[in-house]
PDB file of all heavy atoms in Angstrom:
ATOM      1  N   THR J  97      -0.983  58.394  -7.565  1.00 78.00           N
ATOM      2  CA  THR J  97       0.102  57.990  -8.463  1.00 78.00           C
ATOM      3  C   THR J  97       1.024  56.979  -7.794  1.00 78.00           C
ATOM      4  O   THR J  97       1.378  55.958  -8.393  1.00 78.00           O
ATOM      5  CB  THR J  97       0.922  59.222  -8.887  1.00 78.00           C
ATOM      6  OG1 THR J  97       0.050  60.160  -9.494  1.00 78.00           O
ATOM      7  CG2 THR J  97       2.030  58.846  -9.835  1.00 78.00           C
ATOM      8  N   THR J  98       1.386  57.248  -6.560  1.00 76.00           N
ATOM      9  CA  THR J  98       2.313  56.372  -5.856  1.00 76.00           C
ATOM     10  C   THR J  98       1.691  55.034  -5.511  1.00 76.00           C
ATOM     11  O   THR J  98       2.379  54.017  -5.502  1.00 76.00           O
ATOM     12  CB  THR J  98       2.806  57.052  -4.554  1.00 76.00           C
ATOM     13  OG1 THR J  98       3.270  58.351  -4.867  1.00 76.00           O
ATOM     14  CG2 THR J  98       3.910  56.279  -3.904  1.00 76.00           C
ATOM     15  N   ASN J  99       0.401  55.008  -5.267  1.00 72.00           N
ATOM     16  CA  ASN J  99      -0.247  53.775  -4.851  1.00 72.00           C
ATOM     17  C   ASN J  99      -0.680  52.905  -6.021  1.00 72.00           C
ATOM     18  O   ASN J  99      -0.708  51.691  -5.893  1.00 72.00           O
ATOM     19  CB  ASN J  99      -1.452  54.092  -3.969  1.00 72.00           C
ATOM     20  CG  ASN J  99      -1.591  53.111  -2.848  1.00 72.00           C
ATOM     21  OD1 ASN J  99      -0.651  52.410  -2.518  1.00 72.00           O
ATOM     22  ND2 ASN J  99      -2.752  53.066  -2.254  1.00 72.00           N
ATOM     23  N   THR J 100      -1.017  53.472  -7.159  1.00 70.00           N
ATOM     24  CA  THR J 100      -1.488  52.652  -8.274  1.00 70.00           C
ATOM     25  C   THR J 100      -0.365  52.152  -9.158  1.00 70.00           C
ATOM     26  O   THR J 100      -0.514  51.116  -9.800  1.00 70.00           O
ATOM     27  CB  THR J 100      -2.497  53.431  -9.141  1.00 70.00           C
ATOM     28  OG1 THR J 100      -1.902  54.651  -9.568  1.00 70.00           O
ATOM     29  CG2 THR J 100      -3.772  53.692  -8.388  1.00 70.00           C
ATOM     30  N   THR J 101       0.763  52.833  -9.191  1.00 64.00           N
ATOM     31  CA  THR J 101       1.875  52.383 -10.024  1.00 64.00           C
ATOM     32  C   THR J 101       2.388  51.002  -9.610  1.00 64.00           C
ATOM     33  O   THR J 101       2.545  50.136 -10.472  1.00 64.00           O
ATOM     34  CB  THR J 101       3.014  53.423 -10.016  1.00 64.00           C
ATOM     35  OG1 THR J 101       2.480  54.667 -10.464  1.00 64.00           O
ATOM     36  CG2 THR J 101       4.157  53.000 -10.891  1.00 64.00           C
ATOM     37  N   PRO J 102       2.631  50.737  -8.315  1.00 60.00           N
ATOM     38  CA  PRO J 102       3.069  49.382  -7.953  1.00 60.00           C
ATOM     39  C   PRO J 102       2.026  48.315  -8.271  1.00 60.00           C
ATOM     40  O   PRO J 102       2.384  47.204  -8.649  1.00 60.00           O
ATOM     41  CB  PRO J 102       3.314  49.459  -6.441  1.00 60.00           C
ATOM     42  CG  PRO J 102       3.534  50.888  -6.164  1.00 60.00           C
ATOM     43  CD  PRO J 102       2.708  51.628  -7.161  1.00 60.00           C
ATOM     44  N   LEU J 103       0.751  48.628  -8.146  1.00 57.00           N
ATOM     45  CA  LEU J 103      -0.278  47.643  -8.484  1.00 57.00           C
ATOM     46  C   LEU J 103      -0.222  47.286  -9.959  1.00 57.00           C
ATOM     47  O   LEU J 103      -0.412  46.133 -10.335  1.00 57.00           O
ATOM     48  CB  LEU J 103      -1.673  48.181  -8.140  1.00 57.00           C
ATOM     49  CG  LEU J 103      -2.156  47.950  -6.727  1.00 57.00           C
ATOM     50  CD1 LEU J 103      -3.575  48.482  -6.563  1.00 57.00           C
ATOM     51  CD2 LEU J 103      -2.123  46.493  -6.366  1.00 57.00           C
ATOM     52  N   THR J 104       0.031  48.265 -10.794  1.00 57.00           N
ATOM     53  CA  THR J 104       0.141  48.000 -12.222  1.00 57.00           C
ATOM     54  C   THR J 104       1.324  47.086 -12.508  1.00 57.00           C
ATOM     55  O   THR J 104       1.205  46.111 -13.259  1.00 57.00           O
ATOM     56  CB  THR J 104       0.309  49.321 -12.994  1.00 57.00           C
ATOM     57  OG1 THR J 104      -0.759  50.188 -12.652  1.00 57.00           O
ATOM     58  CG2 THR J 104       0.333  49.093 -14.485  1.00 57.00           C
ATOM     59  N   HIS J 105       2.464  47.372 -11.884  1.00 55.00           N
ATOM     60  CA  HIS J 105       3.646  46.539 -12.104  1.00 55.00           C
ATOM     61  C   HIS J 105       3.455  45.145 -11.543  1.00 55.00           C
ATOM     62  O   HIS J 105       3.860  44.163 -12.170  1.00 55.00           O
ATOM     63  CB  HIS J 105       4.883  47.188 -11.488  1.00 55.00           C
ATOM     64  CG  HIS J 105       5.272  48.460 -12.160  1.00 55.00           C
ATOM     65  ND1 HIS J 105       5.633  48.523 -13.478  1.00 55.00           N
ATOM     66  CD2 HIS J 105       5.330  49.731 -11.704  1.00 55.00           C
ATOM     67  CE1 HIS J 105       5.907  49.765 -13.812  1.00 55.00           C
ATOM     68  NE2 HIS J 105       5.727  50.522 -12.746  1.00 55.00           N
ATOM     69  N   ILE J 106       2.846  45.037 -10.376  1.00 58.00           N
ATOM     70  CA  ILE J 106       2.596  43.726  -9.781  1.00 58.00           C
ATOM     71  C   ILE J 106       1.646  42.931 -10.670  1.00 58.00           C
ATOM     72  O   ILE J 106       1.851  41.740 -10.912  1.00 58.00           O
ATOM     73  CB  ILE J 106       2.051  43.868  -8.344  1.00 58.00           C
ATOM     74  CG1 ILE J 106       3.152  44.371  -7.422  1.00 58.00           C
ATOM     75  CG2 ILE J 106       1.509  42.550  -7.837  1.00 58.00           C
ATOM     76  CD1 ILE J 106       2.668  44.782  -6.049  1.00 58.00           C
ATOM     77  N   GLY J 107       0.612  43.599 -11.201  1.00 58.00           N
ATOM     78  CA  GLY J 107      -0.312  42.921 -12.111  1.00 58.00           C
ATOM     79  C   GLY J 107       0.378  42.428 -13.360  1.00 58.00           C
ATOM     80  O   GLY J 107       0.112  41.319 -13.839  1.00 58.00           O
ATOM     81  N   GLN J 108       1.289  43.221 -13.898  1.00 53.00           N
ATOM     82  CA  GLN J 108       2.033  42.799 -15.078  1.00 53.00           C
ATOM     83  C   GLN J 108       2.939  41.623 -14.756  1.00 53.00           C
ATOM     84  O   GLN J 108       3.073  40.695 -15.563  1.00 53.00           O
ATOM     85  CB  GLN J 108       2.861  43.959 -15.618  1.00 53.00           C
ATOM     86  CG  GLN J 108       2.032  45.037 -16.250  1.00 53.00           C
ATOM     87  CD  GLN J 108       2.848  46.267 -16.594  1.00 53.00           C
ATOM     88  OE1 GLN J 108       4.018  46.367 -16.239  1.00 53.00           O
ATOM     89  NE2 GLN J 108       2.234  47.201 -17.287  1.00 53.00           N
ATOM     90  N   LEU J 109       3.554  41.632 -13.582  1.00 55.00           N
ATOM     91  CA  LEU J 109       4.404  40.515 -13.202  1.00 55.00           C
ATOM     92  C   LEU J 109       3.598  39.234 -13.044  1.00 55.00           C
ATOM     93  O   LEU J 109       4.033  38.161 -13.459  1.00 55.00           O
ATOM     94  CB  LEU J 109       5.154  40.826 -11.907  1.00 55.00           C
ATOM     95  CG  LEU J 109       6.285  41.836 -12.016  1.00 55.00           C
ATOM     96  CD1 LEU J 109       6.828  42.146 -10.634  1.00 55.00           C
ATOM     97  CD2 LEU J 109       7.378  41.310 -12.911  1.00 55.00           C
ATOM     98  N   PHE J 110       2.414  39.314 -12.443  1.00 58.00           N
ATOM     99  CA  PHE J 110       1.587  38.128 -12.284  1.00 58.00           C
ATOM    100  C   PHE J 110       1.146  37.594 -13.640  1.00 58.00           C
ATOM    101  O   PHE J 110       1.144  36.398 -13.872  1.00 58.00           O
ATOM    102  CB  PHE J 110       0.361  38.423 -11.428  1.00 58.00           C
ATOM    103  CG  PHE J 110       0.678  38.634  -9.978  1.00 58.00           C
ATOM    104  CD1 PHE J 110      -0.152  39.385  -9.187  1.00 58.00           C
ATOM    105  CD2 PHE J 110       1.805  38.092  -9.401  1.00 58.00           C
ATOM    106  CE1 PHE J 110       0.128  39.591  -7.854  1.00 58.00           C
ATOM    107  CE2 PHE J 110       2.103  38.290  -8.075  1.00 58.00           C
ATOM    108  CZ  PHE J 110       1.254  39.038  -7.294  1.00 58.00           C
ATOM    109  N   LYS J 111       0.788  38.485 -14.547  1.00 56.00           N
ATOM    110  CA  LYS J 111       0.374  38.068 -15.875  1.00 56.00           C
ATOM    111  C   LYS J 111       1.537  37.422 -16.599  1.00 56.00           C
ATOM    112  O   LYS J 111       1.393  36.378 -17.229  1.00 56.00           O
ATOM    113  CB  LYS J 111      -0.153  39.267 -16.663  1.00 56.00           C
ATOM    114  CG  LYS J 111      -0.673  38.906 -18.016  1.00 56.00           C
ATOM    115  CD  LYS J 111      -1.241  40.115 -18.725  1.00 56.00           C
ATOM    116  CE  LYS J 111      -1.748  39.712 -20.092  1.00 56.00           C
ATOM    117  NZ  LYS J 111      -2.236  40.847 -20.843  1.00 56.00           N
ATOM    118  N   TYR J 112       2.710  38.022 -16.516  1.00 50.00           N
ATOM    119  CA  TYR J 112       3.904  37.485 -17.161  1.00 50.00           C
ATOM    120  C   TYR J 112       4.251  36.127 -16.579  1.00 50.00           C
ATOM    121  O   TYR J 112       4.519  35.183 -17.315  1.00 50.00           O
ATOM    122  CB  TYR J 112       5.067  38.461 -16.987  1.00 50.00           C
ATOM    123  CG  TYR J 112       6.362  37.971 -17.571  1.00 50.00           C
ATOM    124  CD1 TYR J 112       6.545  37.933 -18.949  1.00 50.00           C
ATOM    125  CD2 TYR J 112       7.403  37.559 -16.752  1.00 50.00           C
ATOM    126  CE1 TYR J 112       7.731  37.487 -19.494  1.00 50.00           C
ATOM    127  CE2 TYR J 112       8.586  37.113 -17.284  1.00 50.00           C
ATOM    128  CZ  TYR J 112       8.749  37.076 -18.655  1.00 50.00           C
ATOM    129  OH  TYR J 112       9.926  36.628 -19.180  1.00 50.00           O
ATOM    130  N   HIS J 113       4.226  36.001 -15.258  1.00 51.00           N
ATOM    131  CA  HIS J 113       4.553  34.739 -14.602  1.00 51.00           C
ATOM    132  C   HIS J 113       3.549  33.657 -14.998  1.00 51.00           C
ATOM    133  O   HIS J 113       3.937  32.528 -15.279  1.00 51.00           O
ATOM    134  CB  HIS J 113       4.572  34.922 -13.081  1.00 51.00           C
ATOM    135  CG  HIS J 113       4.818  33.658 -12.330  1.00 51.00           C
ATOM    136  ND1 HIS J 113       6.031  33.017 -12.343  1.00 51.00           N
ATOM    137  CD2 HIS J 113       3.995  32.893 -11.567  1.00 51.00           C
ATOM    138  CE1 HIS J 113       5.954  31.926 -11.606  1.00 51.00           C
ATOM    139  NE2 HIS J 113       4.734  31.835 -11.123  1.00 51.00           N
TER     140      HIS J 113
END
Side-chain angles (χ1 to χ4, degrees):
T97 303
T98 309
N99 218 18
T100 55
T101 303
L103 273 183
T104 305
H105 294 298
I106 290 170
Q108 289 172 353
L109 287 174
F110 289 155
K111 183 177 180 183
Y112 178 73
H113 177 70

